[in-house]
Amino acid sequence: MFKKILIANRGEIAVRVVRACRELGIRSVVAYSEADRDSLAVRLADESVCVGPAPSSKSYLNIPSIVSAALITGCDAIHPGYGFLSENTYLCEICERIGITFIGPPRHAIEQMSDKAMARQAMKEAGVPIIPGTEEPVSNLERAARIARDIGYPVLLKAVAGGGGRGMRVVHTPEELASTFEVASSEADAAFKDGRLYIEKYLDRPRHVEVQIIADKYGKVLHLGERDCSVQRRHQKLIEESPAPNLSNRTREAIHKAAIKGAKHIRFHNVGTFEFLVDQQEKFYFIEVNTRIQVEHPVTEMVTGIDLVKWQIRLAAGEPLGFDQKDVEFRGHCIESRIVAEDPYKDFAPQAGVIDLYIPPGGPGIRVDSHLYCGYRVPTYYDSLLAKVLAWGDDRDEAIARMLRALDEFVITGVQTSIEFHREAIDRTDFRKGNVHTKFVEEMFSNKVPSER
């Protein structure tokens, strides 16, 4: 087992990893930027080291600084959390060269799955359903027009190296294609230094369902159930739950098997998530693999009782999985609300400021993962996530009731947050019935007025 781990991240995930290290008897070192000097993760860690100024390009994304921080503090592993360098193959390579363990999947899996075209091809070879579309990147408009005509409009343009919705555009007609292709390519090039695109059939109002995978270095691959992440805006998830509502057992089992098949094909180990779109006829299609811990990992922890962050560390250290698929028990229902520093009623405009009052909810079935405290200054440089509220219940109705209670109890003042939005969304009839899809938020805001309370 590792003696000391450098946590190359910030916010609630850094706090989460510090706590996992403490329970495993491992010393933790938090790498922080100047803007995060007074963060909760820095206060809780055994050690901390500044890796640069506030901009992430000069701190959390600065590989020489991160590696140097690990070396000077005597760390034998680096936990990248999510975002930032969590899927960076160059950092993986540097770690291999200097004998520091990168806590995550193997470099070949990250490299293959970070290229969306390669990922599609790999899943096709594995026999996992993929959305009809191109097998190779499309480099010019003329070829794009031919492919779109063959697939049939509407089509989706997606960045080969993309993520988070950047470089992604829906095209409804041939007339839209020329301008949209250029915009998507330029956006992809600006975000990822790679302007290549691929084209796939656009699915109307699908559900976004993902399968949590856990695997050791010795060939054992298990699934820990699925999560529905359909409630999102601009491809950013806002509400997640497990098990996915209104999904037949037949489809549920098939999607689990598909994820395991895909993971085995790419020789995946550690923790990761296979993501799918499910259409209105319950046909499902692979979209991507997240080769890291997910923001929403606590949802799975709440319904399985399995600590994914601790297992990330154990698996990276070479431990075998100590249980089999038959040992995984799924209990109850869990819903997660991502509370962000944004104003949902002003197009989710980012907010910043000092937290005047922070009173997290509690009571039966409630968990809050957060890095907030009274007096904390929310910076402008990073992701707007403030807290994750999780509500577990014996069934979905109880989970919803507990979530609404928790949101009523939750107090954050000093910055505008999405608490009211989550309260409104979860109390809507369609959500209560499990009628969720990727256009849920867009349709919810079609007449932009918050509910009266």
Side-chain angles (χ1 to χ4, degrees):
M1 182 50 74
F2 307 115
K3 294 181 179 179
K4 188 185 289 189
I5 293 175
L6 181 84
I7 301 165
N9 215 299
R10 63 174 305 279
E12 65 87 18
I13 189 60
V15 172
R16 174 74 181 87
V17 180
V18 167
R19 288 170 171 161
C21 288
R22 183 66 53 84
E23 291 178 21
L24 289 170
I26 301 169
R27 291 185 63 80
S28 61
V29 182
V30 165
Y32 66 90
S33 74
E34 291 175 358
D36 283 329
R37 186 178 301 276
D38 297 322
S39 69
L40 183 60
V42 168
R43 296 184 181 193
L44 295 179
D46 296 300
E47 300 175 46
S48 59
V49 56
C50 184
V51 290
S56 56
S57 60
K58 297 180 179 180
S59 51
Y60 296 110
L61 291 172
N62 187 328
I63 292 177
S65 291
I66 295 295
V67 173
S68 296
L71 291 172
I72 64 174
T73 55
C75 291
D76 47 358
I78 294 177
H79 195 303
Y82 52 68
F84 293 135
L85 298 172
S86 61
E87 295 174 288
N88 188 289
T89 54
Y90 181 59
L91 176 59
C92 293
E93 183 179 353
I94 296 298
C95 286
E96 290 173 5
R97 290 182 181 181
I98 63 176
I100 290 178
T101 300
F102 178 88
I103 297 177
R107 178 158 57 102
H108 72 263
I110 298 175
E111 189 169 46
Q112 189 175 22
M113 293 300 103
S114 66
D115 184 309
K116 299 298 188 291
M118 287 177 64
R120 278 172 56 85
Q121 183 59 36
M123 292 304 108
K124 183 179 179 181
E125 293 169 358
V128 175
I130 61 173
I131 299 173
T134 54
E135 304 301 329
E136 302 292 337
V138 180
S139 56
N140 62 74
L141 180 60
E142 184 180 354
R143 182 162 177 258
R146 288 199 308 271
I147 292 166
R149 184 180 64 245
D150 292 342
I151 294 174
Y153 288 91
V155 297
L156 187 65
L157 305 181
K158 297 179 71 174
V160 166
R166 289 170 292 182
M168 185 182 294
R169 289 288 187 277
V170 179
V171 182
H172 294 277
T173 65
E175 292 72 27
E176 293 179 22
L177 185 62
S179 60
T180 307
F181 188 89
E182 183 178 344
V183 169
S185 180
S186 297
E187 187 178 83
D189 186 62
F192 311 110
K193 308 302 181 188
D194 185 345
R196 294 178 302 155
L197 305 173
Y198 70 88
I199 302 176
E200 64 184 35
K201 179 69 178 173
Y202 176 69
L203 303 179
D204 183 41
R205 299 166 89 241
R207 296 173 62 184
H208 187 153
V209 177
E210 60 189 25
V211 179
Q212 179 67 61
I213 290 294
I214 186 168
D216 62 24
K217 296 180 178 180
Y218 313 104
K220 182 184 287 187
V221 181
L222 310 178
H223 76 80
L224 300 182
E226 81 291 340
R227 299 182 290 255
D228 190 304
C229 307
S230 301
V231 181
Q232 51 188 254
R233 52 96 181 139
R234 294 195 290 270
H235 307 286
Q236 297 292 321
K237 301 165 186 172
L238 296 173
I239 300 172
E240 301 99 349
E241 60 182 305
S242 183
N246 296 345
L247 194 66
S248 69
N249 288 335
R250 179 172 152 186
T251 301
R252 199 183 310 277
E253 291 173 8
I255 208 168
H256 294 163
K257 290 177 181 177
I260 289 176
K261 187 187 297 184
K264 288 182 175 178
H265 182 74
I266 62 172
R267 306 190 316 280
F268 185 94
H269 57 77
N270 208 268
V271 166
T273 304
F274 280 66
E275 307 208 4
F276 300 86
L277 292 181
V278 182
D279 69 15
Q280 293 172 24
Q281 288 73 46
E282 288 204 359
K283 291 182 179 178
F284 63 88
Y285 306 93
F286 167 85
I287 49 174
E288 65 179 343
V289 178
N290 283 298
T291 53
R292 53 172 167 77
I293 196 75
Q294 291 275 83
V295 176
E296 60 272 22
H297 74 272
V299 177
T300 296
E301 293 182 331
M302 294 286 274
V303 295
T304 64
I306 294 170
D307 189 315
L308 285 170
V309 177
K310 283 204 252 185
W311 270 110
Q312 267 194 303
I313 295 168
R314 292 183 180 118
L315 294 168
E319 289 189 17
L321 277 172
F323 54 93
D324 298 315
Q325 191 67 64
K326 62 180 174 58
D327 300 316
V328 180
E329 295 183 12
F330 300 97
R331 180 172 170 267
H333 196 99
C334 183
I335 301 172
E336 176 181 276
S337 291
R338 296 192 192 187
I339 306 303
V340 294
E342 298 177 7
D343 187 344
Y345 303 102
K346 292 182 179 178
D347 197 28
F348 289 90
Q351 308 290 303
V354 177
I355 302 298
D356 297 322
L357 186 62
Y358 173 65
I359 305 175
I366 300 301
R367 166 177 167 178
V368 179
D369 283 15
S370 179
H371 57 290
L372 296 189
Y373 56 85
C374 292
Y376 173 76
R377 180 175 294 278
V378 179
T380 58
Y381 304 98
Y382 314 116
D383 182 86
S384 60
L385 182 65
L386 298 178
K388 301 182 309 198
V389 181
L390 295 109
W392 179 92
D394 283 326
D395 55 30
R396 190 168 185 268
D397 287 343
E398 185 174 51
I400 288 174
R402 284 178 168 173
M403 176 61 78
L404 291 172
R405 171 179 62 75
L407 293 170
D408 280 339
E409 293 178 10
F410 206 176
V411 178
I412 300 176
T413 65
V415 296
Q416 178 69 39
T417 76
S418 62
I419 292 174
E420 178 63 33
F421 158 79
H422 281 88
R423 191 185 285 121
E424 182 183 356
I426 289 168
D427 201 24
R428 292 176 75 88
T429 300
D430 279 345
F431 186 89
R432 284 182 174 275
K433 291 182 176 179
N435 296 331
V436 292
H437 50 79
T438 56
K439 295 288 186 181
F440 181 90
V441 175
E442 182 180 316
E443 293 179 4
M444 174 178 165
F445 278 84
S446 56
N447 51 15
K448 218 51 186 66
V449 183
S451 294
E452 292 293 332
R453 291 184 52 75

